Amino acid sequence: MDRLQLVLMGLPILLFCSDVVTLFAPLPPAAPQPDHQSRPGPDAVQPGDPSAADASAQAEPQVDGPGSGTTVDLKFCASCSYRGTAMTMKRMLETSFPGIHVVLENYPPPFPKRALSKAVPLLQVGAMATLMAGDQIFPRFGMVPPPWYYSLRANRFGTMASIWLFGNFAQSFLQSSGAFEVYCNGQLVFSKLSEQRFPSELELQELIGSRIPDSQEPVGNKKPDSQDLVLDDGNDDDDDPAIL
């Protein structure tokens, strides 16, 4: 086996090992929060000062809008490249309904699919180990290497590349849920799993807007108050100046 075949065979092995390390590696520790404590200046508000509450209220900006108090959860499939669509919908809702709180979350697949996705790397390792050392593995179990083993071993590079490619495809399929679920205050508003499509921006805006109470009525649609109505008794002489 020349050097070119060694390099071509070692490339899928290296990529496969990197996938295994990434899959089972522990999560990195959270970055420490910076210490923002500083010495109080001469203009700092003391805790006993009566104006401390007013100063804190002025320091914290309060977002008041038609969407205040409303929480929208966008649960999408992270492995399906739906994050861009979720970010677009988030910006649209925040622009249309100021004060709304939009949360982006991953919608995981069912437990059987998650369990099988964890088993795929182990099957890949077992298949590659059998292909590399089948002559020693089969006799230990009292078995004679089957004919298909020798046919696969004759094209070792193609077999290992196929195992790596099909394994990654199966793992990506098992980790995807294909979901894009929209919840408004805990209630399901739109489900891609049931509709088999994405919501349009106008459709999602109407669905969320119908569940937000109208705190302020538009000025053009404001009805006149009964006290503001002027009753006309039909006599125009009361409004005209006295005729001398």
Side-chain angles (χ1 to χ4, degrees):
M1 185 179 294
D2 55 2
R3 295 181 179 179
L4 180 60
Q5 293 180 351
L6 289 175
V7 172
L8 293 178
M9 185 174 61
L11 180 60
I13 296 177
L14 178 61
L15 295 176
F16 168 74
C17 294
S18 63
D19 291 342
V20 174
V21 172
T22 304
L23 181 62
F24 294 99
L27 296 176
Q33 298 294 333
D35 188 7
H36 296 286
Q37 296 181 357
S38 58
R39 297 180 61 184
D43 297 335
V45 179
Q46 300 298 329
D49 193 351
S51 61
D54 298 338
S56 60
Q58 295 177 1
E60 297 179 357
Q62 296 180 358
V63 179
D64 188 11
S68 300
T70 303
T71 301
V72 176
D73 296 327
L74 295 179
K75 299 184 179 181
F76 60 95
C77 176
S79 60
C80 300
S81 301
Y82 292 168
R83 182 175 294 274
T85 304
M87 292 296 297
T88 302
M89 297 297 182
K90 174 182 170 66
R91 289 192 292 266
M92 182 271 298
L93 292 176
E94 291 177 348
T95 304
S96 303
F97 308 102
I100 196 172
H101 182 55
V102 182
V103 180
L104 303 182
E105 297 181 5
N106 179 34
Y107 192 94
F111 177 75
K113 295 182 66 175
R114 295 200 306 268
L116 289 176
S117 66
K118 298 296 184 181
V120 168
L122 300 179
L123 296 177
Q124 287 179 308
V125 172
M128 289 186 179
T130 303
L131 183 65
M132 297 296 297
D135 295 336
Q136 291 80 23
I137 294 176
F138 285 106
R140 290 183 177 273
F141 292 94
M143 300 171 57
V144 179
W148 57 264
Y149 166 74
Y150 293 103
S151 62
L152 293 178
R153 190 172 181 179
N155 189 12
R156 187 177 301 177
F157 166 71
T159 303
M160 295 183 66
S162 301
I163 292 173
W164 176 71
L165 291 175
F166 283 106
N168 287 354
F169 174 78
Q171 186 177 5
S172 176
F173 172 76
L174 293 174
Q175 289 179 348
S176 64
S177 61
F180 193 88
E181 314 300 297
V182 182
Y183 297 84
C184 182
N185 294 329
Q187 297 182 356
L188 182 62
V189 175
F190 184 88
S191 175
K192 181 180 177 295
L193 296 178
S194 60
E195 298 290 339
Q196 297 298 321
R197 64 179 179 86
F198 283 99
S200 63
E201 294 188 5
L202 181 60
E203 179 184 7
L204 187 59
Q205 184 179 1
E206 293 178 353
L207 291 174
I208 299 301
S210 62
R211 287 165 173 79
I212 295 178
D214 296 330
S215 58
Q216 295 180 356
E217 192 175 2
V219 178
N221 298 332
K222 184 178 180 181
K223 297 181 180 179
D225 193 7
S226 59
Q227 297 179 357
D228 298 335
L229 295 177
V230 178
L231 298 178
D232 189 5
D233 55 357
N235 188 3
D236 297 336
D237 295 339
D238 296 339
D239 299 332
D240 297 334
I243 301 175
L244 298 176

